[in-house]
Amino acid sequence: MTIANRIALCLLLALAPLHAWAEGDDKAMMIASDDAEMAAAIAKARSSLDEFLNLSDAPPPGTDRFKLKVMIVDGNATEHFWVIPFKRTANGFVGILANEPEIVRNVVLGQNIEFTRDDISDWGYTRNGRQVGSFTVCVMFKKMSKEEADYMRSAYGFDC
């Protein structure tokens, strides 16, 4: 295989209760580890993480569904998952894995996981029903069919 590290990014948008996630509301997509647009999206999320975390600590009216996307490594495999809900700890963060793994086998849907700031690859929340953040999801829209991307934008409130 020509891709050294495969990144599976899940489109679970945290817009349904946990039991619905297990029913297939997520969409996995393979992205090359050297994809420039994805690297830029992750860098943007990480550079604005402090602002997001401060907002999540004291959510203003009209905001909810705060989530973090976390990178999980299992040997040579890497997969990214939404963690909903999450909270800060003395050593980093803890939260519930909100996607069914498709590549890695060291975690399961609904598992409580601990992670550090370095593991975070994206963040998001809703403001008045519209998505804020979720930079990696916006990159993924460019790699989907127009029909799929248009559906996801309208169904889940994305403006990208």
Side-chain angles (χ1 to χ4, degrees):
M1 178 173 283
T2 60
I3 301 172
N5 278 329
R6 297 185 304 173
I7 300 175
L9 298 172
C10 299
L11 270 180
L12 182 58
L13 304 174
L15 299 175
L18 185 57
H19 70 276
W21 297 336
E23 296 172 4
D25 283 36
D26 60 351
K27 168 77 174 169
M29 180 177 283
M30 303 304 284
I31 307 289
S33 61
D34 61 351
D35 185 280
E37 285 184 292
M38 190 60 71
I42 292 170
K44 184 174 183 178
R46 288 178 173 166
S47 72
S48 55
L49 183 59
D50 286 331
E51 181 182 329
F52 166 78
L53 292 171
N54 290 335
L55 192 67
S56 72
D57 287 341
T63 63
D64 63 359
R65 302 185 193 274
F66 288 82
K67 59 192 174 194
L68 291 171
K69 188 177 271 187
V70 176
M71 176 178 60
I72 302 290
V73 177
D74 184 9
N76 291 327
T78 301
E79 194 167 355
H80 295 250
F81 299 88
W82 287 113
V83 175
I84 311 159
F86 69 89
K87 66 178 180 176
R88 294 191 214 202
T89 66
N91 298 321
F93 301 86
V94 65
I96 298 174
L97 198 74
N99 303 101
E100 187 73 47
E102 295 192 15
I103 298 171
V104 301
R105 298 291 173 232
N106 58 345
V107 294
V108 296
L109 171 70
Q111 179 177 337
N112 199 37
I113 62 167
E114 294 181 17
F115 55 97
T116 68
R117 182 182 192 92
D118 291 340
D119 298 319
I120 298 171
S121 57
D122 204 351
W123 55 261
Y125 66 97
T126 59
R127 179 176 51 221
N128 299 321
R130 306 301 299 170
Q131 295 291 323
V132 179
S134 299
F135 306 106
T136 59
V137 175
C138 292
V139 172
M140 292 169 61
F141 287 157
K142 296 176 184 180
K143 300 177 186 311
M144 293 179 180
S145 71
K146 181 180 178 344
E147 295 77 21
E148 266 187 307
D150 288 348
Y151 170 77
M152 297 301 290
R153 283 185 186 100
S154 68
Y156 296 106
F158 282 94
D159 293 322
C160 55

